Amino acid sequence: VAAEACGWSGDTPRSINMDLKEVLRRGLERIAERCPGAPESSPSAAQSFAEVPGGGAGGGARRWRVRKGASEDAMLAAAGSFLLDPRFAVPAGGCLRPVALHALSHALDARLASRRTAASSSGRDEDDGKSRKKQRKGGEADAVVHPRSADVMHERACAALGMLLELLPHAKPVAMRYLRATPAPFSRLCEALRTEESSGGGDGGGGGMAGDDVEGASREHALLVARSCVRLLRALGTAAEGSGARVPSAPERDEDDSRVVRPADAPASSGVLAHWDCSRALRLLRHPDPEVRWTISAALERAVGLPAETIAALRSAHAADPATSHAFHEGWEEESASIAIEKAGAYLNPGPPLPSPSTMRSERDVDEEEEEDDDDEEEEEDALLDDLQRLPAAPGHVRVGGVEVRRRTAGGPAKNNGAATMIRTGSAARNLRAVALALCRNKPLLLEGPAGAGKSAVLEEVASLTGNDDFVVLHLDAQTDSKSLLGSYVVGAAPGEFKWQPGALTQAVAFGRWVVIEDVDLAPFEVLAALVPLLEERRLYVPGRGESVPAAEGFQLFGTVTVGGGRSGGAAAAGARADPLAGLWARVAVEPPTGNEPMEVLCGVHPRLEPLAPAMLETLNVAQRMCGQGGAAAAPGGTKRSRSTLPGFEDSDGDVDGDVD
């Protein structure tokens, strides 16, 4: 998968030294192969590409290559222009997947700086109208970007971000930073419709809404904006956040009853659309184009909290007949299918070709060759992941197992400053990468694995790398009460006074900390019921107070479940206990240490025990097998060395026989 994401095929050389420029170059050239018109789509892209001589001869597609002298900044600018162009955002997101966050952050920061410059320049020009007239009379080019043209570029960027957030969910923090600082994508269209209605404009097509910018006034652009609203609201917003409705929340008040109060620098609610007046999107229901009205109807479910039945009725009203409704559905599904296909392409990793019958050997030789091929593939994959880990991460992110994960900028006091770092065995590295990939889904994570597999150790390592050392660990059992998590009234300082004391979970949600719930499958149903809104809506309800606490930015919920021989009843019983919340988690199967990995961990933590490590591991394996717990030798992937026995014991066919005094 890493090879395909970087642009290499199945015959990737085992050792590759990748840097940011090399990954950008390969990704840009793949975009040019898939979209021949992309290199000429913007000035920044044209500066980085050169046409291959002879390309396009005979009516074929033109061929492009990145210029030899192209700098890293120039390639980042070209990549950013593709990612923010709705025509190329999906293929660019797939081709630039390893460095997509880096390029996207670079492009959005440049776009914000350009908007600030244009706004300040427009203010100076308003104060100096005479000099501006002189420039135009003299035939000089106006250096200030027309504000309406800048708005059209912003709307197209929002459309591209809506597609990218479906393809690359881990790009949400980068997109949120841009969307917080810019107006809603529908603001200009709604204002233009209001102006036309108040002036009695009769053309109905918004012909004057963008001045000289014909594209911004077109029906295709209005449909692009409507689709971007739907995708952004689905990816980022909820009904309460989008409509401007405010639910009484403990972290937002400071009264005499000791409610949770966020400090000034604490992260706010994660709803990026809270500052958008989404009720204005209702005006688009009066747009002259029926497909625009049909599309924006889907956004109202999130924007103003309309029920699904009302949305279906609205859509039926804007589609004249079933054939028209089918055409509208087909246009939407075609765009969604292109995103789904690009997402599925990241998982394609063609294996080696099958041998022909003439070259087949004995079964033993074939098995040995397959084992060697598997080892070679694992080594190649590990080498690629190591190279990805060395790539620079996007601003505000850190690479964990080669995956870019958001880093917390301002956290509490570190808990593990004096602790040793994790010993990166093969299984530990794979577990880290699995957790990092799951974090990109922006969902609560449930780590499953046998006792001693390293579930807590993996979470501690990821928390340390991402700056979330102040995470909260909650140990639940059948006697746990929801009041200990949500809060309760306690005796105050004055006689007869009772004050509200928020629980550990409520405070963590309010301050945007990570929460790890150990053995969540053992929690009583009362606690599980309290967790459901937090898992579904990122909002914690406090029934005794009639309040809801929205999860602050940075909040992440983890759960752990012990399966297998380490838990009474085994995996089936554990799965049944965790069933009530099964569909609300992103599950990660933690791989236990196998083979000689326990010995690697032991030698890494205590180097002086290295001479005794083999005998200690063999003793552990024998003891675990005698107790029916398996161990590293019995685990999949155990080596011959780990299956050897101690003097005095006989190990035959996996059974341990011997005399024990």
Side-chain angles (χ1 to χ4, degrees), residues 186-207:
F186 51 80
S187 298
R188 184 185 63 88
L189 290 179
C190 293
E191 182 64 23
L193 287 173
R194 187 191 66 80
T195 303
E196 288 184 3
E197 291 173 359
S198 61
S199 62
D203 60 350

Side-chain angles (χ1 to χ4, degrees), residues 400-542:
V400 179
V403 181
E404 289 177 303
V405 181
R406 189 182 184 189
R407 179 174 179 82
R408 188 176 179 185
T409 55
K415 294 172 62 175
N416 301 324
N417 286 340
T421 58
M422 172 182 284
I423 305 299
R424 299 294 181 89
T425 61
S427 61
R430 290 187 288 272
N431 290 334
L432 283 175
R433 177 170 172 80
V435 171
L437 287 172
L439 281 173
C440 295
R441 298 183 60 186
N442 299 315
K443 292 184 63 177
L445 302 190
L446 182 66
L447 276 66
E448 301 174 311
K455 301 183 291 294
S456 300
V458 169
L459 289 178
E460 290 176 3
E461 182 71 7
V462 175
S464 177
L465 293 173
T466 57
N468 290 280
D469 296 279
D470 59 340
F471 64 93
V472 178
V473 181
L474 303 175
H475 296 271
L476 304 184
D477 53 31
Q479 285 73 40
T480 303
D481 187 3
S482 62
K483 295 180 180 179
S484 62
L485 302 179
L486 303 180
S488 60
Y489 285 96
V490 297
V491 178
E497 179 185 5
F498 292 90
K499 302 184 70 174
W500 173 256
Q501 177 62 44
L505 181 60
T506 303
Q507 296 187 50
V509 171
F511 294 124
R513 298 194 182 109
W514 282 13
V515 176
V516 180
I517 303 179
E518 299 278 3
D519 299 325
V520 68
D521 55 322
L522 298 181
F525 282 98
E526 178 190 4
V527 175
L528 296 179
L531 293 177
V532 169
L534 190 60
L535 293 168
E536 290 182 333
E537 309 172 21
R538 289 180 60 86
R539 186 178 290 274
L540 184 65
Y541 288 91
V542 185

Side-chain angles (χ1 to χ4, degrees), residues 118-432:
S120 60
S121 299
S122 299
R124 288 195 300 267
D125 288 341
E126 289 178 2
D127 295 337
D128 194 7
K130 294 183 179 180
S131 62
R132 190 170 182 179
K133 286 183 179 180
K134 277 187 178 181
Q135 289 180 0
R136 291 185 174 178
K137 284 183 180 180
E140 298 177 9
D142 190 0
V144 179
V145 179
H146 196 282
R148 289 177 176 174
S149 298
D151 288 339
V152 171
M153 292 175 61
H154 164 62
E155 292 161 4
R156 291 178 60 82
C158 289
L161 288 176
M163 302 175 189
L164 286 175
L165 288 179
E166 290 190 24
L167 179 64
L168 307 171
H170 59 294
K172 178 179 177 180
V174 178
M176 288 169 63
R177 189 174 70 247
Y178 174 78
L179 295 173
R180 282 196 186 99
T182 53
F186 51 80
S187 298
R188 184 185 63 88
L189 290 179
C190 293
E191 182 64 23
L193 287 173
R194 187 191 66 80
T195 303
E196 288 184 3
E197 291 173 359
S198 61
S199 62
D203 60 350
M209 70 174 60
D212 298 331
D213 197 325
V214 179
E215 179 187 10
S218 65
R219 173 255 180 195
E220 290 77 11
H221 182 77
L223 180 60
L224 187 70
V225 172
R227 289 178 175 175
S228 72
C229 294
V230 176
R231 297 193 186 280
L232 288 175
L233 284 167
R234 286 180 177 179
L236 302 175
T238 63
E241 293 166 351
S243 63
R246 296 184 63 82
V247 183
S249 174
E252 297 177 357
R253 300 181 183 179
D254 185 7
E255 300 178 0
D256 295 334
D257 55 357
S258 300
R259 298 172 186 252
V260 179
V261 179
R262 290 194 186 99
D265 57 347
S269 173
S270 59
V272 67
L273 306 180
H275 71 288
W276 288 4
D277 185 7
C278 293
S279 61
R280 297 179 59 190
L282 290 169
R283 194 176 296 275
L284 290 178
L285 291 175
R286 295 197 289 270
H287 194 277
D289 186 79
E291 188 170 4
V292 174
R293 300 195 301 269
W294 181 89
T295 303
I296 204 64
S297 298
L300 298 180
E301 182 178 2
R302 293 296 183 95
V304 294
L306 293 181
E309 296 79 7
T310 305
I311 298 299
L314 277 174
R315 286 192 154 191
S316 300
H318 297 309
D321 49 57
T324 303
S325 177
H326 175 75
F328 293 166
H329 270 288
E330 187 176 5
W332 172 264
E333 293 298 332
E334 182 179 358
E335 187 177 278
S336 300
S338 65
I339 300 173
I341 292 173
E342 191 69 38
K343 185 184 298 185
Y347 298 97
L348 296 179
N349 189 15
L354 295 176
S356 61
S358 60
T359 59
M360 294 183 65
R361 303 175 184 176
S362 64
E363 293 184 1
R364 181 175 180 179
D365 293 339
V366 171
D367 291 340
E368 291 178 355
E369 290 180 358
E370 289 179 352
E371 290 180 2
E372 293 177 359
D373 291 341
D374 292 340
D375 293 340
D376 292 342
E377 291 179 3
E378 289 182 2
E379 290 178 4
E380 292 175 4
E381 186 74 10
D382 291 343
L384 281 170
L385 295 182
D386 290 341
D387 287 333
L388 287 175
Q389 183 67 28
R390 288 193 290 269
L391 287 175
H397 291 72
V398 63
R399 287 196 178 271
V400 179
V403 181
E404 289 177 303
V405 181
R406 189 182 184 189
R407 179 174 179 82
R408 188 176 179 185
T409 55
K415 294 172 62 175
N416 301 324
N417 286 340
T421 58
M422 172 182 284
I423 305 299
R424 299 294 181 89
T425 61
S427 61
R430 290 187 288 272
N431 290 334
L432 283 175

